[in-house]
Amino acid sequence: MNTRSESVDGPLSVPALLHRNANVFALEPAYREKEFGIWQTWTWSQTLEEIEALALGFVDLGVREGDFVAIIGRNRPHLYWAMVAAQMVGAVPVPLYQDAVAEEMAYVLGHCGARIVVAGDQEQVDKVIEIQDRLPDFEQMIYLDPRGLRKYDHARLHQYSHVQDAGRAKRDELLSEITARQAKLDYDSTCVMLYTSGTTGKPKGVVLSNRNVIETSKSSSEFDDLRQTDSILAYLPMAWVGDFIFSVGQAMWTGFCTNCPESAETMHNDLREIGPTYYFAPPRVFETQLTNVMIRMEDAGRFKKWLFDVFMAHARKVGPAILDGETVGLWDRWKYNLGELMIYGPLKNTLGFSRIRVGYTAGEAIGPEIFDFYRSLGINLKQLYGQTEATVFITAQPDGEVRSDTVGVSCPGVELRIAENGEVFYRSPGVFVEYYKNAESTAGTKDAEGWVATGDAGFIEEVTGHLRIIDRAKDVGQMANGALFAPKYVENKLKFFPNVLEVVVFGNGRDECTAFINIDLTAVGNWAERNNIGYASYQELARHPQVMDTIQSHVEEVNASLAQDEMLSGCQVHRFVVLHKELDADDGELTRTRKVRRRIIEEKYDDIIAALYDGSSSVSTVTEVTYEDGRKGSIAATLEVRSAEVFPVGQMIAAQ
Amino acid sequence: MLDQAEGYVTQDGRKIGGVVMEMRNITLRFGGVEAIKDISFDIREGEIRAIIGPNGAGKSSMLNVISGFYIPQVGEVWYKGAKRPALKPYQVARQGIARTFQNIALFEGMTVLDNVMTGRLTHMKTGLWRQAIWRGAAETEETANREVAERIIDFLEIQSIRKTPVARLPYGLKKRVELARALAAEPSLLLLDEPMAGMNVEEKEDMSRFILDVNDEFGTTIALIEHDMGVVMDLSDRVVVMDYGKKIGDGTPEEVRNNQDVIDAYLGVSHD
């Protein structure tokens, strides 16, 4: 790759894009924020004026080129402007997670040596003051919301609007300075530094250049035909790469409008009022919304409920096909239009999805029925796969080729490669420059040719060219016969059933796969209540024969769907038990974020695992448990081991 | 310790001004029951003044005297340097005194925003007819009042329930809405009747923070009744302690805490 190549057309930095937008879209809305009950709007030319005033104020405060400017707070236009203002004066913006505790902030602020901090409100200011003694480089703090801060010592503290006012007052003398600094920005200068969340070890500062951000924004905007008239709701953490690309990168490239909610609690209401045309949410958000809809429909009158059920069934039948532009019978189309008028339209309006042209979800696997629900309503929900190091986009689903089990084809400009062990590698213009002050990790992640390891295992479907992610690469193993063993993939499939709370699949180096299953006490308990089945405890409900039958049918359904997949058919679950206790973080079986700790579970329940593989039909066991107050006790139980039907590869099942 | 004419400086460095309201030898009777017996104290500009005492001590009666709802048989109420005659509640409201109630008194069927707007009533000058056709002055006035209401909604962080009918809200939020309505009147003296009664620890902490913020941001003088000793001691600048209608202590939380009469009233004393 030619590293010095300049973009053929167009601006080479985010501030340059801002100037272009202020010229081209001067009177179009750039940012909106709901404040005092009203949507306040800033046009592109007003935005330029605000950002420039802040940039002048930055220079006045002594911000130098190459300085790091940390930004901490919820999504607000002023904080986005602070990022661009920092770029304008040659500094590097570093957005931080606003819910991070002071300790975590101390590491990040210390690591990048931020001289300036822009904080949203008193809460963030307090956190920084708490740790400032440990930050030798920290000099000045600017706060946005003055509430509660009036009596603070203002020796190093400045109100945002005052900094802007100071900048405006000295415009004549300082403007030439920032013009000169902006002129020095090119495609290879640093655009932003984002810290990875750091699930393993300390957070790493990912340095992204203007090339990374602009090239990615450009190609992804073209991929989805984003336009100046689009609008988005910015509600995801500012420190996350996705938010930076959507609310700054793509917004600057296409000139669309970024809307900021009034507060985290009003997000859903604000979503309805704005009706974004381009929307991103993690699967959890879609799941919660669907649950809310379903609960409210349970409470609706009988006629409304019937209407809803009839039309939703129809939508499930033809909705996705209509969305993908396939031919659908005239009668079906007419009925769908009627449904749109009576059910789908009002429902989408309630959810705030009336105007969505492009919606994305990513981050974890989404349940197929959740995914299909939204698509059947006519919402163009798609999946993408990305990471900070790639400036988000690695793969995405093009319109018309959307499925719940793939993450799409490689984005424009992205090359994919699958390594021997199944790990996915990519190379693209979006590939990050380096991890800041961490050459070792940089070398470990990005090779000399620019290929980056994702840490995820997956494969590319031969027919469609779609990438499918199956698991974290380090969790993927091999079975005794050499077949691929991807426990998390199978576990996720099982966890999509509401009755199943947690699953642990075993089989690495063995002949067949087996599983531990936890039932979801809320869902199964609800079912038991409706069917007059009495139970006194989790343990009793878990061993109920009808519960076992239900779980067995879920396992068999998953086996059937795995059988259709040549690579993963070996992972079918042959035998399983429903555990007598819920896996618990207090017992060390889960992490605090509810991730399964395989090694510990394998050791703790070795007797049950032995029973799963020696063909016995039941197993007696005693398990130590830790109560919430730290005392220890034990549970004795006899568990039934069930065998589930497995299917030969590629067989289509009729019963679905 | 107190300089009567000039005010004083609190521990956290706030400057407290002159006397806003003064109770002079107040006695209040209900038939043969003496609810308040010869009590005098003052409330100074910018301070948070608490009235505490065990059940039946006469705290709420005292607050009702301050708000002008009860007229004491003996004694004088001095407000902003003048003796206050017997007034109707709306006249008291016009004088810049607003209050919240122990048993929430909101309009349950109205939204939060509408309830807060009712707090602006004393600031509305246009007549019924003009308001009905909503033209000219009435429109300008409502816009200005709505802006004040919205700033208070923002301040108390109740944006998410702006359009929710009050009846649907949980108790802790209703309390906050009531505070919002009182604040909407832009009072110079704010009376809070047990603002934290029935709340859990987290709600109490939130409420305490809002009370401090209100005092800090708007400089509002606050007089409050509260049961929770911990809260009172943290919040207030000066405390009046009542027991059986009598004042048994008056001073900073520190002074009151070490007052033997107060300790006896709260912990009981053996009569041997």
Side-chain angles (χ1 to χ4, degrees), chain B residues 172-204:
Chain B
L173 274 180
K174 283 186 185 173
K175 280 274 190 193
R176 211 189 288 177
V177 175
E178 217 188 16
L179 178 62
R181 181 180 61 182
L183 280 180
E186 293 179 282
S188 49
L189 175 60
L190 176 64
L191 308 177
L192 307 175
D193 194 348
E194 302 220 6
M196 277 159 263
M199 287 187 172
N200 62 29
V201 177
E202 201 188 329
E203 289 170 330
K204 276 182 187 171

Side-chain angles (χ1 to χ4, degrees), chain A residues 335-394:
Chain A
K335 195 173 165 193
Y336 188 85
N337 287 342
L338 187 67
E340 173 75 26
L341 192 70
M342 290 168 64
I343 302 284
Y344 321 140
L347 182 58
K348 280 188 282 187
N349 191 22
T350 305
L351 295 171
F353 293 161
S354 290
R355 303 202 304 152
I356 288 190
R357 282 197 306 116
V358 184
Y360 273 114
T361 186
E364 49 195 307
I366 185 167
E369 71 286 3
I370 299 169
F371 194 69
D372 290 344
F373 171 81
Y374 289 99
R375 288 197 55 86
S376 66
L377 286 178
I379 297 163
N380 187 18
L381 183 61
K382 311 195 284 183
Q383 297 199 80
L384 65 80
Y385 173 66
Q387 52 177 205
T388 309
E389 287 82 351
T391 323
V392 184
F393 294 92
I394 299 173

Side-chain angles (χ1 to χ4, degrees), chain A residues 385 387 389 394 416 422-426 445 452-458 467 469 472-473:
Chain A
Y385 173 66
Q387 52 177 205
E389 287 82 351
I394 299 173
L416 283 180
E423 186 167 358
V424 180
F425 284 74
Y426 64 90
T445 311
V452 180
T454 58
D456 288 322
L467 177 67
I469 297 297
R472 294 293 299 167

Side-chain angles (χ1 to χ4, degrees), chain A residues 517-594:
Chain A
I517 291 171
N518 266 168
I519 55 167
D520 186 324
L521 192 57
T522 327
V524 182
N526 194 345
W527 163 84
E529 208 169 288
R530 276 186 282 113
N531 291 282
N532 288 325
I533 291 168
Y535 65 98
S537 63
Y538 175 86
Q539 194 182 346
E540 194 179 331
L541 189 61
R543 60 193 291 187
H544 194 280
Q546 268 179 275
V547 173
M548 293 293 288
D549 289 345
T550 314
I551 300 296
Q552 182 165 355
S553 71
H554 293 338
V555 172
E556 282 166 2
E557 217 173 293
V558 166
N559 284 348
S561 89
L562 286 171
Q564 292 174 50
D565 215 310
E566 210 169 317
M567 293 198 61
L568 295 163
S569 61
C571 297
Q572 293 184 57
V573 176
H574 287 67
R575 284 155 66 78
F576 70 94
V577 291
V578 175
L579 281 185
H580 51 299
K581 74 176 272 288
E582 287 185 82
L583 297 175
D584 199 326
D586 285 343
D587 292 327
E589 294 155 343
L590 303 178
T591 66
R592 288 285 159 198
T593 50
R594 295 198 63 82

Side-chain angles (χ1 to χ4, degrees), chain A residues 34-38 74 122 145-151 262-263 265-266 269 273, chain B residues 12 14 146-147 150-151 154-157 159-162 209-210 213 216-218:
Chain A
K34 195 173 184 189
E35 206 178 19
F36 305 127
I38 292 173
R74 68 177 172 89
Q122 187 185 13
D145 184 354
R147 177 178 170 180
L149 288 165
R150 193 176 319 138
K151 297 202 177 82
E262 191 169 22
S263 70
E265 295 81 48
T266 58
N269 216 1
E273 289 176 357
Chain B
D12 57 338
R14 289 179 302 131
R146 171 78 187 265
E147 208 171 304
E150 284 291 351
R151 277 181 195 279
D154 183 71
F155 189 80
L156 294 180
E157 294 166 13
Q159 303 99 321
S160 58
I161 51 166
R162 184 186 283 123
R209 187 166 61 82
F210 284 123
D213 282 353
D216 184 43
E217 190 74 25
F218 306 115

